[in-house]
Amino acid sequence: MSNYDVVILGGGPGGYNAAIRAGQLGLKAACVEGRATLGGTCLNVGCMPSKALLHASELYEAATGAEFANLGIEVKPTLNLGQMMKQKDESVAGLTKGIEFLFRKNKVDWIKGWGRIEGPGRVSASSDQGSRLELTAKNIIIATGSEPTPLPGVEIDNQRILDSTGALSLSEVPKHLVVIGAGVIGLELGSVWRRLGAQVTVVEYLDRICPGVDAEAGKTLQRSLSKQGIAFKLASKVTSATSSATGVQLSVEPAAGGTAESLEADYVLVAIGRRPYTQGLGLENVGLSTDKRGMLANRQHRTEAPGIWVIGDVTSGPMLAHKAEDEAMACVEQIVGKAGEVNYALIPNVIYTRPELASVGLTEEQLRAAGRAYKVGKFPFTANSRAKINHETEGFAKVIADERTDEVLGVHLVGPSVSEMIGEYCVAMEFSASAQDIALTCHPHPTRSEALRQAAMNVEGMATQM
Ligand code: FAD
Ligand code: NAI
């Protein structure tokens, strides 16, 4: 029996950050992870491999299409998909090893196995090889993450009908990829395979893509992706899928009901959301249960069971790596009696397509629904000199400020590298900045970040460059 101050179940961004912070604070910490490598969904089959393929496919498309030629670079690239996948896998392996290093550095024990809560303060860990270890812990943190939501009638076999993990490791470029769900995964992985040569059709139940993002930003992104060749079937539902060795036959109907049409694809990606993962966790042994969506509730990261905490995708809030990380820090700080807190109002959201979409804070739709008076400043990337020079002029920066106080309430960016720029507004908004604060802050020229300042200036109609 090994005794710990804190045992963490799951080694994803929630779990590994909690473990490392616990180690830093001098707690005796163990992280139980059953996967062969640390890093969870994010490092192994999520954020990182998807970004590796987005980066490589973006360069491939730039080289094959008119983009390089227009810059005066004449090349005739050929796709080596095997190498593209290999470099992705190598980068992922490097990252997961990095977490092992950080565990050693911070004296965290990685217990290899699947954790189960056996009772208050008691956890068992069973490895795939059949060994079993018992641990005691003053605190248990559940960080077991999420899994793809299944779609009845469209069974994922990861041969022809794929989840995101399958779509990150195909050994050939699909001729026709049908993506079910126009959310983040559908748009990112749909973009990857389109750039590599696939015809891509996205079937979405709602009448818009990316529900929840600012409607104007979502529309702009959809227009851009359509121009790139992605076909969208909105307000449509897939009612059945039959797969064979060579492809899949899908039946698609209007969401509201009506005549069905048939779609043929050689691969289908099901990306209709993710659901919390708590299988085999032994929640019943400490009187815990999940809600209808499989979610474990929390109050400031505490579950209803004393000494048991919960963070990341398995609990409420956006299913994002940086949200899991923030909760990990706040949870462990609370365990040691510090005042850890997460500001859920300011968790940024990014879609890593081209152009990218990045946002933080409230949307116009949310403000209208709340009856709150606001003003908007917008600035298009067509008027930004750096974006123009780089031939990347799609999109805009939009800043929404309170009508009376001028406090920035929401920022919505569609454009080049906006994922790297949204952090500026996260910091500003944490300090309750007004649009004028940003408008009066010097930004380097020539950079795309100037568009963010000009948008803030335009809240009072004083953008100088358009
Ligand atoms: P996870 O990362 O899911 O980790 C949970 C871990 O717990 C897993 O490793 C699992 O094996 C382990 N586990 C489960 N049960 C047990 C048990 N009983 N015992 C031991 N171990 C257990 N988010 C972003 O912010 N940015 C992105 O760009 C992004 N891209 C994504 C792309 C894809 C394709 C996908 C699928 C997701 C993406 N996400 C992204 C979401 C992100 O991966 C998750 O929000 C994040 O990984 C959640 O972290 P977590 O620690 O809560 O859970
Ligand atoms: P999602 O929630 O982003 O999008 C799912 C989409 O599927 C929605 O548009 C929804 O309306 C639609 N849908 C639901 N049921 C449907 C049906 N039966 N038929 C057709 N469409 C249907 O979920 P997604 O893309 O699977 O991603 C899961 C989560 O992973 C994201 O919500 C996000 O939290 C995380 N993620 C984050 C990324 C990032 O930060 N860049 C990248 C990838 C994933």
Side-chain angles (χ1 to χ4, degrees):
M1 183 84 78
S2 307
N3 304 313
Y4 288 94
D5 294 316
V6 54
V7 167
I8 297 138
L9 303 175
Y16 74 70
N17 279 295
I20 291 166
R21 187 72 188 121
Q24 282 178 346
L25 289 168
L27 298 178
K28 189 172 183 233
C31 178
V32 183
E33 171 58 65
R35 222 184 258 272
T37 48
L38 291 170
T41 303
C42 175
L43 267 58
N44 290 285
V45 289
C47 323
M48 301 322 298
S50 60
K51 268 73 238 174
L53 292 184
L54 279 157
H55 175 65
S57 63
E58 184 171 329
L59 292 179
Y60 173 73
E61 183 172 48
T64 41
E67 198 172 340
F68 268 28
N70 188 39
L71 295 173
I73 307 167
E74 302 278 356
V75 285
K76 282 201 176 65
T78 49
L79 176 64
N80 181 343
L81 186 59
Q83 170 57 25
M84 198 178 276
M85 291 294 172
K86 184 165 167 268
Q87 61 83 33
K88 172 206 69 169
D89 294 340
E90 284 168 357
S91 300
V92 165
L95 292 171
T96 60
K97 284 267 172 250
I99 307 294
E100 283 184 46
F101 163 77
L102 291 172
F103 273 17
R104 283 193 299 276
K105 184 176 163 204
N106 291 287
K107 301 191 172 48
V108 173
D109 291 340
W110 172 14
I111 311 286
K112 297 181 185 173
W114 299 104
R116 181 176 167 82
I117 302 172
E118 301 292 351
R122 287 195 300 123
V123 167
S124 66
S126 308
S127 76
D128 290 337
Q129 290 71 40
S131 64
R132 191 167 183 276
L133 207 63
E134 299 221 347
L135 317 169
T136 61
K138 292 191 190 112
N139 295 279
I140 298 169
I141 303 177
I142 301 172
T144 48
S146 61
E147 61 177 356
T149 304
L151 178 59
V154 188
E155 201 167 318
I156 291 163
D157 56 17
N158 273 328
Q159 300 293 320
R160 291 284 157 191
I161 303 184
L162 315 167
D163 58 16
S164 52
T165 302
L168 285 166
S169 297
L170 284 177
S171 57
E172 61 175 359
V173 177
K175 287 182 211 48
H176 184 200
L177 174 68
V178 169
V179 178
I180 307 178
V184 203
I185 291 179
L187 300 185
E188 289 187 359
L189 296 184
S191 290
V192 164
W193 290 109
R194 187 206 55 74
R195 292 167 187 170
L196 298 180
Q199 178 197 343
V200 174
T201 305
V202 180
V203 181
E204 164 62 46
Y205 189 80
L206 300 175
D207 61 359
R208 56 164 298 180
I209 69 167
C210 300
V213 309
D214 177 84
E216 186 183 19
K219 253 196 195 116
T220 304
L221 180 61
Q222 188 193 337
R223 203 175 311 126
S224 182
L225 295 176
S226 301
K227 243 183 5 205
Q228 292 167 22
I230 294 184
F232 287 95
K233 275 187 177 299
L234 301 183
S236 301
K237 60 182 177 196
V238 173
T239 49
S240 70
T242 318
S243 61
S244 68
T246 53
V248 189
Q249 178 114 21
L250 294 155
S251 177
V252 182
E253 277 178 26
T259 317
E261 63 168 315
S262 179
L263 266 186
E264 303 261 351
D266 49 348
Y267 291 96
V268 172
L269 163 60
V270 181
I272 60 162
R274 293 178 63 83
R275 63 182 186 187
Y277 183 79
T278 55
Q279 224 171 294
L281 205 50
L283 296 176
E284 63 285 358
N285 295 333
V286 282
L288 287 176
S289 58
T290 57
D291 68 11
K292 273 198 302 236
R293 295 159 58 213
M295 191 88 81
L296 255 177
N298 83 86
R299 257 187 95 209
Q300 292 214 302
H301 323 301
R302 290 169 199 270
T303 66
E304 305 232 300
I308 303 191
W309 308 72
V310 62
I311 57 173
D313 279 10
V314 70
T315 190
S316 51
M319 288 185 171
L320 295 171
H322 41 283
K323 175 265 193 185
E325 177 184 345
D326 274 27
E327 288 184 338
M329 307 298 279
C331 176
V332 174
E333 306 251 322
Q334 284 187 27
I335 286 174
V336 298
K338 290 176 181 261
E341 199 173 322
V342 178
N343 183 355
Y344 289 97
L346 291 184
I347 294 173
N349 186 30
V350 175
I351 306 176
Y352 295 84
T353 43
R354 191 182 187 196
E356 292 181 335
L357 187 154
S359 58
V360 64
L362 297 168
T363 63
E364 286 199 66
E365 294 74 41
Q366 286 169 324
L367 287 162
R368 274 200 295 270
R372 188 158 172 192
Y374 64 90
K375 45 193 181 172
V376 175
K378 259 181 77 180
F379 190 80
F381 278 104
T382 44
N384 172 267
S385 55
R386 185 67 185 278
K388 246 186 148 74
I389 282 289
N390 288 0
H391 310 287
E392 291 183 315
T393 51
E394 277 178 308
F396 57 80
K398 169 154 119 178
V399 174
I400 306 174
D402 186 89
E403 171 71 31
R404 197 176 51 82
T405 65
D406 196 39
E407 182 179 352
V408 178
L409 302 174
V411 177
H412 307 280
L413 311 172
V414 180
S417 305
V418 292
S419 60
E420 299 289 354
M421 297 193 280
I422 193 73
E424 160 180 348
Y425 269 100
C426 297
V427 174
M429 289 166 77
E430 276 291 355
F431 285 86
S432 305
S434 64
Q436 194 185 31
D437 288 329
I438 310 293
L440 294 176
T441 301
C442 192
H443 283 60
H445 174 77
T447 63
R448 291 165 287 207
S449 72
E450 288 172 284
L452 276 61
R453 181 192 190 182
Q454 291 283 328
M457 291 164 86
N458 231 7
V459 167
E460 293 301 335
M462 50 181 263
T464 51
Q465 291 169 10
M466 64 178 278

